[in-house]
Amino acid sequence: MSYNPSQIEAKWQKIWEEEGAFEPSDSLTQKKKYILSMFPFPSGRLHMGHVRNYAIGDAFARYYRKQDFNVLHPIGWDAFGMPAENAAIKHGRHPKDWTYSNIDYMRKELNTLGLSFSKTREFATCDELYTKWEQEFIIKMFEEGLLYRESTTVNWCGECHTVLANEQVEEGCCWRCDNEVQLKEMPGYYLDIIKYADELLDDLKMLEGKWPNQVLTMQENWIGKSQGLEFTFELSKESKEKLGGHFENYTVFTTRPDTIYGVTYSALAAEHPITKYLLDHDLLESAVAEKIVVISNMTEIERAKEGKEGYDLGLTVIHPLTGEEIPVWTANFVLASYGGGAVMAVPAHDERDFEFATKYALPVKRVIEGGEELPYTGTGDLIESDRFSCLPSSEAKIAIINAFEEKGIGKGTTNYKLRNWGISRQRYWGAPIPFVHCESCGLVAEKVENLPVALPEDVEITGEGNPLDNHPTWKKCACPKCGADATRETDTLDTFVQSSWYQFRYATNPKKWTETGIDKEEANYWLGVDQYIGGIEHAILHLLYARFFTKVLRDLGYHDITEPFENLLTQGMVLMDGAKMSKSKGNTVDPDALVEKYGADTARLFTLFAAPPAKELEWNDSAVEGAFRFIKKLYERNTKVNGNTLPNIDQSSLSKESKLARVKVYEALQKSTDVYEKTFAFNTLIAACMEALNALDKQDNQDVWTEGMYIMLNLLEPIIPHVTTELSEALFQRENLGRVLEVKEEVFVQESIMYVVMIGGKKRTQIEVSPSASQEEILETAKEAGSKWLEGMTVVKEIVVPNKLVNLAVKPQ
């Protein structure tokens, strides 16, 4: 019978579903593996990136089930977010209807791929039951002081009509729609992630060797811990008078207290309260004021791209150690979000300060020895620094901080680039923030017994404003505290909140989903996730937030886990003609069409064979054809099998070709454990199986064929499960799909070894020598076999690669 993928795949998908083959055991004593791929947004259709991600995760899950692990391999839907609202506007459909219909369609697509996901643990983050427990966590965080509301300058996307976290601004644009982001003052809710900054940073050490170094570095840099000196610059008497007595001083932070004697000016952010006071009270020239306003409306990324720009504010401050008066400027490189929005500028020892000072002819004073030219940003002995002169920088930093602390004018402190996480979004399709505004009681959390606070379904979504704000009745409620008329909060939660705890929801038995959000015993059993798979684009956003949520929920008593994801694999993108697949570029491949033409096993085999998982995968039609041909060939070789179990083979009785075939089969078996557990180089295992099948084809011993198929079907089952299970059922009653077999070392004892002979960089011939042959004997045999290519040549280099090849480098005589 010829290979019919659609028939075989439909058959086994039905059997697996009927058997409940992929549900984890309720037992919490068995050894476990938690395999998790980042869940998809239900946009309507799967793309090849999804296929690759889930094929990788499925290979892990199927492999560990064969090792008798209790395997949790779930899937769900990251279902809230702006695309649903945008689709509602475009197609005139309700976001809920659009979302759940997409989930239904994409679920069918996942099923056709034969992915071994748990069916019982699937959920969508827009399910009201999921929202209920999430709102409980938010209330607990509020009660513990980890969540607060304040008015501040935020990133505003006019296209999406919502606030963005700093992490969601990419090169000055919205991460989702690519619209230019503006700064806007408005109230919002914040999670105090900075309270966990040290733990988030320190615990990266636990992930070394388990997460890609690039991701660890990105998180370390984003947290941006720096230690130094915090002190105040006292305003001069004239400056205080100019500011109407509203300001006495301002605070600055520096990581280089050893350079403090080199300060020649100070600079404030355009948003600093003093700068704002000068603007609001018309104390600056109108042209200067206009330019400062322009700077204040620029994002941090935009400012970083601009050249250094600033303006003299007509103020001075007193140097805390020398008593000198220092001019105060506003500068576009000073950020309100870091160090209080004010800096001491040391142009001799800071490139940014030097560039600014050079442009505006400000003084430059060297106070650190070293380097021929300025700015010199390294360390060295101090000069022109009063009693601290001659001290090396490392000692001077400590001594100067101590001096400030003794005088009570400053202190050693730590700063972070990390900002608290703004979680308010002014959109409809999100989890409502469970708070109420009461004129008497202020901000009040909803009672837990009233959760979930669900979204109203009778809304009109136009893209203008927040539909919850415009709803006639939904936001009207009673204060949970005093019972008076009150107003419900209309902001919804950032969707990254939902993806920050979903790994714990999967780990909770669905039988308990109505009783609890996270079951502590089960969370402690399943977590951390043994293998997490997803794109590196989530290195900061999702992965940092999920780590933060894990630590917060631990401290709130929901579990005892410190890090959510033990091992991380960041798979590469799928490309076509060197570019990322994209609907807008018209260079996508439809997984449905691919499966319909070739079958799911071919799609899975191609994505795992075309490139190692962490590398980019270039789409190749001929490689897809090649994957299909290999599976077809494997299927058609079932007639070569004799018997229904693993045969006992007398190695000494075999022909040379049969012995070589066994070597190739067992080489693949040797490779498999490392591939599945360490290297994840599925392409090398697939290549080894292809070599083994070719070698089997060159011999005719049925016992060797039987052994070879028995082993190869086992090795390939996690990759191409339908056809391998079909063959295993027919040939071995699936007996071969259990634990991986032991390698038989006798197979590798060879009577002779074949060497390829390379001469002048080209393969010319091959030789067969005894396994005990010395290197000299191998070289002599190779030269004899390749004598006609050595005529008129001098051998300049001889290389013997054991058991593989001889390479002779030559030049004309």
Side-chain angles (χ1 to χ4, degrees):
M1 183 183 292
S2 62
Y3 173 52
N4 185 332
S6 60
Q7 184 179 357
I8 291 170
E9 290 169 5
K11 167 188 171 181
W12 284 105
Q13 287 161 16
K14 185 171 184 290
I15 291 172
W16 292 330
E17 184 158 4
E18 289 171 350
E19 291 177 347
F22 310 129
E23 298 305 323
S25 167
D26 289 349
S27 168
L28 304 183
T29 57
Q30 186 181 348
K31 61 182 183 179
K32 67 89 186 180
K33 286 290 179 181
Y34 187 172
I35 310 298
L36 182 61
S37 292
M38 293 181 186
F39 60 176
F41 177 79
S43 58
R45 298 182 81 86
L46 294 180
H47 54 68
M48 288 308 301
H50 289 131
V51 175
R52 190 181 196 199
N53 185 329
Y54 303 140
I56 293 167
D58 202 52
F60 289 135
R62 288 177 177 274
Y63 170 79
Y64 282 113
R65 286 193 193 96
K66 291 194 297 189
Q67 306 306 305
D68 296 328
F69 283 89
N70 189 12
V71 174
L72 175 58
H73 185 220
I75 191 67
W77 308 95
D78 192 9
F80 273 137
M82 290 178 286
E85 285 193 49
N86 294 338
I89 297 166
K90 183 177 179 181
H91 302 295
R93 297 177 66 184
H94 194 283
K96 184 175 182 179
D97 170 58
W98 182 85
T99 298
Y100 280 105
S101 63
N102 285 349
I103 288 173
D104 289 342
Y105 185 86
M106 293 174 71
R107 184 188 296 114
K108 291 174 185 173
E109 290 187 298
L110 292 176
N111 288 342
T112 63
L113 288 167
L115 300 165
S116 63
F117 292 128
S118 163
K119 302 284 188 184
T120 63
R121 302 202 179 211
E122 180 190 330
F123 59 80
T125 58
C126 61
D127 294 345
E128 287 186 10
L129 190 56
Y130 192 82
T131 295
K132 172 184 177 177
W133 301 113
E134 184 167 284
Q135 289 173 338
E136 178 186 292
F137 303 151
I138 291 297
I139 290 169
K140 290 280 181 70
M141 292 177 193
F142 176 66
E143 291 170 348
E144 293 296 320
L146 284 168
L147 184 145
Y148 60 93
R149 187 173 191 261
E150 72 173 17
S151 185
T152 186
T153 301
V154 296
N155 303 304
W156 176 261
C157 176
E159 182 72 22
C160 297
H161 300 281
T162 192
V163 168
L164 303 174
N166 285 345
E167 293 86 345
Q168 293 167 318
V169 180
E170 298 176 350
E171 297 187 355
C173 296
C174 172
W175 71 290
R176 189 177 290 283
C177 74
D178 209 33
N179 183 57
E180 189 173 318
V181 171
Q182 303 297 320
L183 297 178
K184 187 174 181 178
E185 179 91 16
M186 61 189 300
Y189 293 87
Y190 293 83
L191 284 171
D192 195 350
I193 192 171
I194 294 176
K195 278 188 178 175
Y196 284 81
D198 280 334
E199 189 178 355
L200 287 166
L201 191 60
D202 293 343
D203 287 351
L204 290 174
K205 295 182 181 68
M206 298 168 59
L207 304 174
E208 290 176 0
K210 301 178 180 181
W211 283 31
N213 288 333
Q214 183 183 0
V215 175
L216 298 178
T217 300
M218 289 168 75
Q219 290 215 0
E220 183 178 355
N221 291 341
W222 190 262
I223 295 167
K225 182 177 181 179
S226 55
Q227 294 176 307
L229 171 68
E230 183 179 276
F231 67 94
T232 56
F233 268 132
E234 192 75 16
L235 287 156
S236 65
K237 180 181 177 183
E238 295 78 7
S239 298
K240 290 178 184 177
E241 291 173 355
K242 183 173 181 176
L243 295 168
H246 290 281
F247 301 91
E248 296 289 324
N249 53 46
Y250 60 81
T251 301
V252 297
F253 170 80
T254 177
T255 59
R256 292 295 303 271
D258 53 324
T259 66
I260 195 161
Y261 283 88
V263 174
T264 60
Y265 67 96
S266 178
L268 304 179
E271 305 89 338
H272 193 280
I274 290 176
T275 315
K276 281 188 173 182
Y277 183 90
L278 293 169
L279 291 171
D280 293 344
H281 292 80
D282 298 324
L283 296 175
L284 298 170
E285 292 180 11
S286 59
V288 169
E290 288 174 9
K291 290 176 180 177
I292 294 174
V293 170
V294 170
I295 293 172
S296 68
N297 287 328
M298 297 171 71
T299 65
E300 294 181 7
I301 299 293
E302 288 174 320
R303 295 185 206 190
K305 291 179 179 178
E306 295 289 318
K308 299 297 177 286
E309 182 183 352
Y311 301 94
D312 190 344
L313 295 178
L315 304 174
T316 57
V317 288
I318 309 302
H319 192 293
L321 297 183
T322 68
E324 296 173 281
E325 284 197 26
I326 296 167
V328 180
W329 288 59
T330 185
N332 64 348
F333 62 79
V334 184
L335 304 178
S337 61
Y338 182 75
V343 301
M344 68 173 213
V346 187
H349 304 293
D350 182 280
E351 291 178 359
R352 178 196 60 186
D353 297 347
F354 183 82
E355 184 181 340
F356 190 87
T358 302
K359 180 174 181 177
Y360 294 106
L362 294 167
V364 178
K365 180 183 177 183
R366 176 193 277 273
V367 292
I368 303 286
E369 286 186 331
E372 295 181 5
E373 297 181 356
L374 295 179
Y376 171 64
T377 59
T379 57
D381 290 345
L382 272 62
I383 58 173
E384 304 293 330
S385 297
D386 197 38
R387 63 189 176 94
F388 303 102
S389 294
C390 300
L391 284 178
S393 291
S394 57
E395 294 180 23
K397 285 180 182 180
I398 298 169
I400 290 171
I401 289 173
N402 289 339
F404 270 81
E405 290 179 338
E406 288 167 7
K407 290 184 176 183
I409 56 174
K411 62 180 180 178
T413 190
T414 301
N415 256 9
Y416 303 91
K417 289 181 182 176
L418 180 68
R419 302 271 64 88
N420 279 337
W421 177 11
I423 59 170
S424 303
R425 298 295 178 266
Q426 293 68 44
R427 299 296 295 238
Y428 164 74
W429 191 238
I433 296 177
F435 296 107
V436 169
H437 302 276
C438 174
E439 284 190 11
S440 301
C441 306
L443 185 67
V444 182
E446 184 56 87
K447 292 180 179 177
V448 171
E449 57 265 31
N450 292 339
L451 301 179
V453 177
L455 291 168
E457 295 194 19
D458 56 334
V459 293
E460 182 182 1
I461 300 172
T462 63
E464 295 296 325
N466 182 351
L468 295 178
D469 256 341
N470 302 326
H471 195 281
T473 60
W474 181 82
K475 64 182 180 181
K476 295 176 182 177
C477 64
C479 173
K481 195 170 183 180
C482 71
D485 289 346
T487 304
R488 197 173 292 289
E489 176 58 64
T490 58
D491 281 0
T492 53
L493 290 169
D494 179 8
T495 55
F496 281 98
V497 172
Q498 281 93 64
S499 58
S500 291
W501 71 280
Y502 79 124
Q503 64 275 11
F504 291 101
R505 187 60 169 171
Y506 286 139
T508 297
N509 194 311
K511 297 170 187 174
K512 301 176 183 176
W513 279 4
T514 57
E515 304 166 21
T516 184
I518 298 172
D519 183 272
K520 188 170 186 176
E521 182 184 13
E522 291 179 337
N524 288 343
Y525 169 71
W526 285 113
L527 275 291
V529 172
D530 295 280
Q531 187 63 62
Y532 198 36
I533 306 112
I536 199 168
E537 66 271 18
H538 298 291
I540 293 173
L541 282 167
H542 163 58
L543 289 170
L544 184 63
Y545 292 155
R547 294 182 62 226
F548 165 63
F549 245 73
T550 296
K551 296 173 191 303
V552 171
L553 292 173
R554 174 202 62 198
D555 292 347
L556 291 175
Y558 287 98
H559 60 74
D560 299 318
I561 306 302
T562 293
E563 283 293 332
F565 312 120
E566 288 288 328
N567 296 282
L568 173 67
L569 171 62
T570 52
Q571 92 277 2
M573 292 186 297
V574 181
L575 309 178
M576 179 174 279
D577 300 325
K580 180 182 178 181
M581 283 190 178
S582 165
K583 289 180 182 176
S584 61
K585 293 176 183 174
N587 66 343
T588 60
V589 172
D590 181 7
D592 287 353
L594 184 67
V595 170
E596 185 177 350
K597 183 175 181 180
Y598 295 105
D601 282 340
T602 293
R604 295 169 61 125
L605 184 70
F606 166 74
T607 59
L608 294 178
F609 182 53
K615 301 294 184 183
E616 293 176 335
L617 185 158
E618 180 70 38
W619 184 263
N620 185 320
D621 287 330
S622 63
V624 175
E625 289 276 2
F628 177 76
R629 286 195 302 272
F630 168 71
I631 295 174
K632 185 172 182 288
K633 179 179 175 180
L634 180 72
Y635 182 82
E636 291 171 348
R637 295 305 183 267
N638 71 85
T639 58
K640 304 282 188 177
V641 173
N642 177 33
N644 58 11
T645 190
L646 193 65
N648 290 316
I649 298 175
D650 179 5
Q651 176 79 356
S652 63
S653 67
L654 296 179
S655 67
K656 182 170 65 176
E657 291 77 14
S658 293
K659 288 178 179 177
L660 179 59
R662 290 193 86 197
V663 167
K664 292 299 181 183
V665 168
Y666 278 94
E667 281 179 347
L669 178 57
Q670 275 185 324
K671 187 182 292 287
S672 63
T673 302
D674 265 3
V675 167
Y676 284 114
E677 298 183 19
K678 295 178 183 177
T679 68
F680 314 142
F682 298 108
N683 55 315
T684 64
L685 176 59
I686 295 166
C689 288
M690 289 177 172
E691 282 188 33
L693 190 59
N694 288 337
L696 285 166
D697 254 345
K698 293 175 182 175
Q699 62 87 50
D700 56 8
N701 185 296
Q702 285 193 310
D703 282 346
V704 173
W705 261 110
T706 302
E707 178 189 57
M709 290 291 280
Y710 191 101
I711 293 171
M712 280 197 301
L713 294 176
N714 180 299
L715 303 183
L716 290 170
E717 184 271 336
I719 297 168
I720 47 174
H722 304 92
V723 67
T724 52
T725 307
E726 174 75 3
L727 290 171
S728 296
E729 172 80 6
L731 300 176
F732 309 113
Q733 293 80 53
R734 287 196 264 177
E735 171 195 289
N736 63 314
L737 295 185
R739 292 182 63 83
V740 174
L741 306 167
E742 296 293 325
V743 174
K744 295 181 178 178
E745 294 300 332
E746 67 183 52
V747 169
F748 298 103
V749 177
Q750 300 176 59
E751 295 172 6
S752 63
I753 299 173
M754 196 71 70
Y755 280 81
V756 171
V757 179
M758 306 281 292
I759 299 176
K762 295 181 180 180
K763 179 181 175 181
R764 295 300 190 185
T765 185
Q766 59 186 30
I767 58 173
E768 192 174 352
V769 298
S770 165
S772 61
S774 66
Q775 182 164 310
E776 290 74 17
E777 290 171 330
I778 295 168
L779 285 169
E780 184 180 342
T781 306
K783 288 174 184 177
E784 287 177 6
S787 58
K788 69 177 181 179
W789 292 283
L790 294 175
E791 290 178 5
M793 296 288 180
T794 299
V795 177
V796 294
K797 194 170 185 180
E798 303 170 339
I799 299 173
V800 176
V801 179
N803 303 323
K804 289 189 177 180
L805 65 85
V806 176
N807 190 6
L808 302 175
V810 296
K811 68 176 183 179
Q813 290 178 344

